[in-house]
Amino acid sequence: MFKRNGKKDPELIQNVSEGLKKLYKTKLFPLEDTYHFHDFHSPALEDADFDNKPMVLLVGQYSTGKTTFIRHLMEQDFPGMRIGPEPTTDSFIAVMHGEQDGLIPGNALVVDPKKPFRKLNAFGNAFLNRFVCAQMPNAVLESISIIDTPGILSGEKQRISRGYDFAAVLEWFAERVDRIILLFDAHKLDISDEFSEVIRSLKNHEDKMRVVLNKADQIGTQQLMRVYGALMWSLGKIVGTPEVIRVYIGSFWAQPLLVADNRKLFEAEEQDLFKDIQGLPRNAALRKLNDLIKRARLAKVHAYIISSLKKEMPNMFGKENKKKELIANLGEIYTRIEKEHQISPGDFPKLAKMQEILANQDFSKFQAVKPKLLEAVEDMLANDIAKLMTLVRQEEAAMPSQSVQGGAFEGTMNGPFGHGYGEGAGEGIDELEWVVARDKPTYDEIFYTLSPVNGKVSGALAKKEMVKSKLPNTVLGKIWKLADVDKDGYLDDDEFALANHLIKVKLEGHELPTDLPEHLIPPSKRGL
């Protein structure tokens, strides 16, 4: 429940989405509207922006496998899909769930109040003729929507105008999606000027960005290491932050691997990426909350900038000259606001972009500072968001199983082809014989050199042998706990062999199980 004017609001907030809508309309929108926020930064939010499914935005140069990647996830062709080595996708395609296969053109799409695309009409017909929604019944699309984008051009081709502001459209999507996946081709790693510009325009959304180095099965291990290093170096220069974006290496399609040397690496990377995407529905409410906080902070700073400019304007003469002077000195105004209101420099909008938009604005229509509007946003950030945060946790706890299902996500769990099946602690899971028995004669030789009493060795004696593995005590302690099956504080020959097997599992780079799997329990202890 939220308080208004000190009184309890009688209407109980049922879910996070509803709470966010209410906060936006009652507290943030009035501030945005008063200070022309929507002309400068981002259009007003609508109900569909809060209600829509998590969205994944795919961005990359042409022929990096974006459309194939979508097809691989869904294991199904989608309407309007075209794949080829040349630039084939020339439109933005929103792949969404629908009862029947079909295409909805851009102009029809931006008038549908149930779709979160209404504000895209600002980009005009040149864009809308290149925007389409592909609807189809698919299990993956029941949880997420995927946005395919035109291949980013390189060389001479990138000089041809698209007729609309491509980077601005991508930035619009970036604000609203839950995950941005940048695709690179391991075979041709040149990053064109247009792609560099696009990555820079997504700079405020690094938390949503992931990088996929696709088609990595086409080159050998040594080349792959060099390509990976070159990619990280190039990205570091473009993104310009010390934090490294997570890069997933693999071949994201359903064809045989050309060079199978790195199969295990590709499997582990694909598994990690799938887990990241599968977690989107669970984290959707938190993402929307986070985006609203980001927006509120920017709106607050924007209000201070506009009211400062209004304050400096003369009432009668010399308005045009003063306007030019204020735009030229905007950096100094930023510094003053930063000190006066203790605002982080990172919260301010880009100086050059702000100056460009201000040049076309009528400063006489700007409003002076209105403390009540700013206080409402401050109250929202200080109090209301904290209450909604509690509701987010409750929602997450109520639906822990909510994740993306179907398509390629099912293939990662099927039978012996699940990730890590039959490896590490899972080795021997399908065998009738106890897997530890293979190396038990070697372990027995060591066991009997420790002079066991009544067929058992003490913890102190076992420790002397186990520390030779050079594993830290925290790991060896866990191995001891798993190996001492009968919990008597001693190890017999079977338990000692099991301890050494688990040490081998850890030394080979695998994780230890939390509980001892049934197939690793010594046959002599299975009745316990």
Side-chain angles (χ1 to χ4, degrees):
M1 272 187 283
F2 297 107
K3 289 181 183 178
R4 204 181 288 155
N5 303 329
K7 293 175 188 170
K8 278 200 171 180
D9 193 323
E11 189 185 343
L12 188 69
I13 298 298
Q14 299 295 330
N15 56 45
V16 177
S17 174
E18 191 188 310
L20 288 171
K21 272 187 234 174
K22 195 167 180 193
L23 279 183
Y24 177 69
K25 284 172 189 168
T26 58
K27 296 198 171 179
L28 184 52
F29 179 77
L31 181 80
E32 290 184 355
D33 194 41
T34 303
Y35 295 103
H36 307 278
F37 179 86
H38 310 128
D39 297 338
F40 286 81
H41 306 291
S42 173
L45 297 176
E46 299 193 331
D47 287 356
D49 290 309
F50 296 103
D51 295 334
N52 69 306
K53 290 172 188 162
M55 291 194 285
V56 178
L57 177 69
L58 291 183
V59 184
Q61 292 176 184
Y62 74 91
S63 193
T64 49
K66 294 188 297 297
T67 308
T68 308
F69 180 85
I70 297 173
R71 204 219 163 280
H72 177 57
L73 286 189
M74 301 194 310
E75 292 185 343
Q76 192 179 347
D77 290 354
F78 58 87
M81 182 183 100
R82 284 161 63 216
I83 294 171
E86 75 287 359
T88 44
T89 304
D90 64 345
S91 302
F92 281 80
I93 303 177
V95 188
M96 304 180 89
H97 189 268
E99 294 308 313
Q100 292 174 319
D101 284 19
L103 285 170
I104 305 169
N107 279 293
L109 203 52
V110 294
V111 294
D112 184 349
K114 290 182 182 172
K115 297 273 193 295
F117 305 123
R118 277 160 61 98
K119 298 293 181 181
L120 281 166
N121 61 7
F123 293 103
N125 266 334
F127 166 70
L128 295 178
N129 292 336
R130 292 266 172 271
F131 181 42
V132 69
C133 174
Q135 285 196 321
M136 59 190 292
N138 181 281
V140 173
L141 299 177
E142 286 175 15
S143 311
I144 58 170
S145 301
I146 307 169
I147 314 291
D148 194 9
T149 60
I152 291 167
L153 306 173
S154 58
E156 284 299 310
K157 298 187 212 79
Q158 70 190 34
R159 297 184 191 183
I160 302 162
S161 171
R162 293 180 187 269
Y164 60 91
D165 192 338
F166 182 67
V169 172
L170 281 178
E171 200 172 348
W172 187 95
F173 275 109
E175 268 184 38
R176 287 155 180 79
V177 300
D178 296 69
R179 189 64 75 238
I180 303 163
I181 297 180
L182 302 177
L183 271 99
F184 291 87
D185 183 342
H187 229 231
K188 49 179 196 314
L189 202 58
D190 62 316
I191 300 179
S192 70
D193 295 345
E194 190 179 28
F195 200 10
S196 300
E197 187 195 336
V198 162
I199 295 170
R200 285 192 189 100
S201 74
L202 303 177
K203 194 165 171 31
N204 295 333
H205 308 285
E206 287 102 335
D207 55 326
K208 298 178 182 180
M209 277 160 74
R210 304 287 184 272
V211 173
V212 168
L213 184 57
N214 201 14
K215 305 186 184 181
D217 66 319
Q218 297 183 7
I219 53 179
T221 308
Q222 194 176 8
Q223 276 179 296
L224 184 59
M225 291 295 289
R226 287 182 183 146
V227 168
Y228 177 77
L231 174 63
M232 296 308 284
W233 182 77
S234 302
L235 281 175
K237 277 198 343 184
I238 297 166
V239 177
T241 57
E243 297 87 7
V244 177
I245 300 173
R246 174 68 162 98
V247 177
Y248 299 92
I249 304 167
S251 185
F252 294 89
W253 67 339
Q255 301 300 319
L257 300 173
L258 293 177
V259 181
D261 302 2
N262 300 306
R263 184 189 184 104
K264 282 186 81 168
L265 169 70
F266 298 159
E267 280 175 10
E269 293 284 283
E270 184 175 66
Q271 192 72 15
D272 284 356
L273 180 60
F274 281 6
K275 270 186 195 163
D276 187 65
I277 295 171
Q278 281 184 300
L280 293 179
R282 273 198 73 192
N283 302 322
L286 193 57
R287 194 274 304 167
K288 284 169 187 163
L289 189 67
N290 187 45
D291 281 358
L292 192 73
I293 295 167
K294 262 201 244 180
R295 190 180 176 100
R297 288 165 72 109
L298 179 59
K300 219 172 68 176
V301 172
H302 178 78
Y304 286 129
I305 295 167
I306 297 299
S307 56
S308 291
L309 294 171
K310 172 70 176 176
K311 193 176 167 187
E312 297 285 336
M313 284 298 283
N315 289 328
M316 298 290 287
F317 305 110
K319 287 186 180 181
E320 202 54 40
N321 287 337
K322 187 65 178 174
K323 175 182 169 179
K324 284 177 185 169
E325 184 193 319
L326 288 171
I327 292 172
N329 297 331
L330 191 61
E332 292 169 26
I333 294 169
Y334 274 21
T335 309
R336 195 169 70 237
I337 293 168
E338 191 186 312
K339 286 176 183 165
E340 195 179 328
H341 300 283
Q342 283 86 47
I343 295 167
S344 162
D347 284 354
F348 283 81
K350 286 176 190 164
L351 186 63
K353 189 182 172 189
M354 197 72 180
Q355 285 170 321
E356 189 186 320
I357 301 169
L358 280 169
N360 301 315
Q361 295 287 323
D362 181 356
F363 282 28
S364 64
K365 290 182 180 172
F366 288 172
Q367 298 283 340
V369 70
K370 296 197 172 177
K372 276 194 175 177
L373 290 176
L374 285 157
E375 280 165 20
V377 174
E378 286 287 359
D379 180 53
M380 177 185 107
L381 291 169
N383 303 312
D384 299 328
I385 293 289
K387 292 172 192 171
L388 269 185
M389 197 72 201
T390 313
L391 203 53
V392 167
R393 296 286 170 237
Q394 287 169 3
E395 273 191 15
E396 281 182 355
M399 43 189 184
S401 61
Q402 192 186 24
S403 69
V404 183
Q405 302 295 331
F409 299 100
E410 296 295 325
T412 59
M413 300 172 237
N414 288 345
F417 298 97
H419 180 62
Y421 189 96
E423 298 169 13
E427 187 188 353
I429 193 166
D430 296 330
E431 295 174 24
L432 295 173
E433 292 292 318
W434 186 40
V435 66
V436 182
R438 289 181 207 160
D439 299 313
K440 193 167 180 291
T442 311
Y443 301 142
D444 281 352
E445 281 180 29
I446 303 165
F447 179 76
Y448 288 109
T449 61
L450 300 175
S451 310
V453 177
N454 298 327
K456 295 189 175 191
V457 295
S458 66
L461 289 170
K463 180 184 174 182
K464 280 182 188 174
E465 189 57 40
M466 288 167 73
V467 293
K468 290 178 184 175
S469 67
K470 297 183 182 173
L471 287 170
N473 282 355
T474 49
V475 176
L476 292 174
K478 190 174 180 184
I479 289 171
W480 171 271
K481 192 178 171 188
L482 291 168
D484 184 13
V485 182
D486 55 16
K487 308 291 177 230
D488 64 350
Y490 293 86
L491 300 183
D492 62 17
D493 60 329
D494 281 350
E495 290 172 326
F496 183 79
L498 174 60
N500 279 280
H501 178 77
L502 292 171
I503 286 170
K504 187 180 85 166
V505 164
K506 190 65 188 168
L507 291 175
E508 285 173 354
H510 301 285
E511 289 304 313
L512 293 170
T514 310
D515 299 302
L516 194 66
E518 279 187 34
H519 71 279
L520 285 184
I521 298 172
S524 59
K525 301 278 190 294
R526 284 179 188 169
L528 293 176

